[in-house]
Amino acid sequence: MLRLDDVRVALSKDRVVPFLQPIHNIKTGELYGVEILARIIDAGENVISPDLFITELEKSKLIIPFTLTLMRKVMEMMKQIQIQWKCPFYVFFNIPANMLSDPALVMGGRYFLRNTHKEIKPVFEVTERIKISTHPEDVRIIKSLSADGIPLWLDDFCTGHSNLDSLKTGLFSGIKIPGELVKNNSVKNLIDNIHLSLNETGRQLHISLIAEGIETLNQLNYIKREGIDLAQGYFLCSPLCGSDFSDYIKKFY
Ligand code: C2E
Ligand code: CA
């Protein structure tokens, strides 16, 4: 495990880097976007996965400069990519629920939106390891994000605090379905419950779905049969460093 001080040092030494995992539209064959996954490069040039630092980091305010650093680096990467952006390309950042209304993060999201190509759209995917704030001022700020063009998605649906009650808040445009639910063949059940729950609250929201953790062709075919068009996972593509991603995306343009 890394200590918070190690993360602080990594930030000061410019050793926090974004990896990008493609999200595919399996119906059209287009690239829908990417999820940004943080990595720390240690002094021996080893790539350290977030499992070794993210839980502690998310409890600390250090997650704010950490996330802003990732946003800045992704912005720089996107500017370097030599393609003609021709349809919306969604960039999903992981944001802990309790930090969503932080003014610096909100400003960071808006800055990203204004300073990248108009087809590049930031999305905040909310990890509810810590519950989302229901304080009216926080809810007002969170709602303003979506209104400004930064949609919120629920990450790791049905884990942590993330469940149908979170969906009923009306704050979210989409849901990321964890790989475990795909492996258990529980996707149909989940979709039925989502529809039921939205009907109950009288909302006619359109909720988009991404199935994560797709590792096999069978799993891909299964989610297709269940009507899910957006997918992410090792079977499609692993998280890539910036230069590999820049090569990868060119195949789609
Ligand atoms: P997550 O949000 O659930 O992200 C998906 C994790 O599954 C990533 O692990 C990804 O590399 C991995 N993955 C992708 N495809 C597959 C697959 O087909 N099978 C399996 N078994 N795993 C797959 P990673 O990169 O180690 O990240 C772990 C967690 O750390 C993430 O889980 C996310 O909650 C958190 N995290 C990563 N980057 C950030 C960040 O910048 N900020 C915050 N707050 N959390 C982050
Ligand atoms: Ca995620």
Side-chain angles (χ1 to χ4, degrees), residues 59 72 78 106 113-114 119 124 207 243:
K59 291 180 196 152
R72 177 177 53 77
M78 294 292 155
V106 171
L113 185 65
R114 278 199 306 268
E119 297 293 6
F124 284 178
I207 297 286
S243 58

Side-chain angles (χ1 to χ4, degrees), residues 6-227:
D6 300 323
V7 178
R8 216 169 265 121
V9 170
L11 269 174
S12 70
K13 295 199 165 161
D14 196 24
R15 289 186 165 277
V16 172
V17 295
F19 270 47
L20 305 91
Q21 186 173 34
I23 301 167
H24 291 253
N25 185 324
I26 53 177
K27 196 170 173 189
T28 63
E30 288 166 341
L31 204 54
Y32 180 78
V34 276
E35 176 174 358
I36 306 304
L37 294 160
R39 303 286 183 262
I40 286 178
I41 311 295
D42 74 7
E45 299 300 318
N46 304 300
V47 178
I48 311 283
S49 122
D51 288 339
L52 294 186
F53 58 83
I54 208 71
T55 311
E56 284 312 304
L57 184 58
E58 283 192 345
K59 291 180 196 152
S60 142
K61 277 276 177 187
L62 193 60
I63 188 72
I64 305 293
F66 184 91
T67 309
L68 293 174
T69 299
L70 293 172
M71 285 182 181
R72 177 177 53 77
K73 292 196 168 192
V74 174
M75 244 173 69
E76 285 161 11
M77 273 178 195
M78 294 292 155
K79 282 187 181 146
Q80 305 283 321
I81 295 175
Q82 300 293 324
I83 55 171
Q84 291 288 330
W85 300 96
K86 55 181 186 223
C87 53
F89 182 83
Y90 297 94
V91 181
F92 286 70
F93 291 97
N94 285 284
I95 309 286
N98 58 323
M99 300 287 171
L100 256 186
S101 51
D102 182 278
L105 211 55
V106 171
M107 265 174 61
R110 290 188 179 133
Y111 188 81
F112 184 96
L113 185 65
R114 278 199 306 268
N115 290 282
T116 47
H117 190 280
K118 67 176 174 26
E119 297 293 6
I120 302 176
K121 319 269 188 196
V123 177
F124 284 178
E125 64 174 83
V126 182
T127 47
E128 275 201 297
R129 283 183 273 265
I130 306 167
K131 200 161 174 36
I132 200 164
S133 167
T134 51
H135 188 283
E137 181 53 15
D138 290 339
V139 173
R140 188 190 64 74
I141 297 172
I142 295 168
K143 281 189 172 157
S144 76
L145 274 171
S146 313
D148 288 354
I150 308 175
L152 305 181
W153 280 54
L154 264 176
D155 199 9
D156 296 325
F157 195 63
C158 289
T159 66
H161 294 279
S162 155
N163 55 31
L164 290 168
D165 286 340
S166 314
L167 200 57
K168 285 182 195 167
T169 61
L171 294 172
F172 298 98
S173 311
I175 292 171
K176 294 191 89 176
I177 302 174
E180 293 73 45
L181 295 188
V182 176
K183 286 187 191 101
N184 295 340
N185 291 342
S186 308
V187 171
K188 180 169 179 353
N189 197 12
L190 176 81
I191 295 176
D192 289 348
N193 283 336
I194 291 171
H195 287 152
L196 203 65
S197 142
L198 290 178
N199 288 342
E200 270 172 18
T201 56
R203 288 193 192 93
Q204 295 301 313
L205 288 179
H206 176 72
I207 297 286
S208 305
L209 301 172
I210 295 177
E212 290 193 290
I214 301 301
E215 294 179 344
T216 65
L217 180 60
N218 274 346
Q219 290 170 0
L220 191 76
N221 287 334
Y222 167 61
I223 60 159
K224 257 189 204 165
R225 282 197 303 277
E226 297 303 343

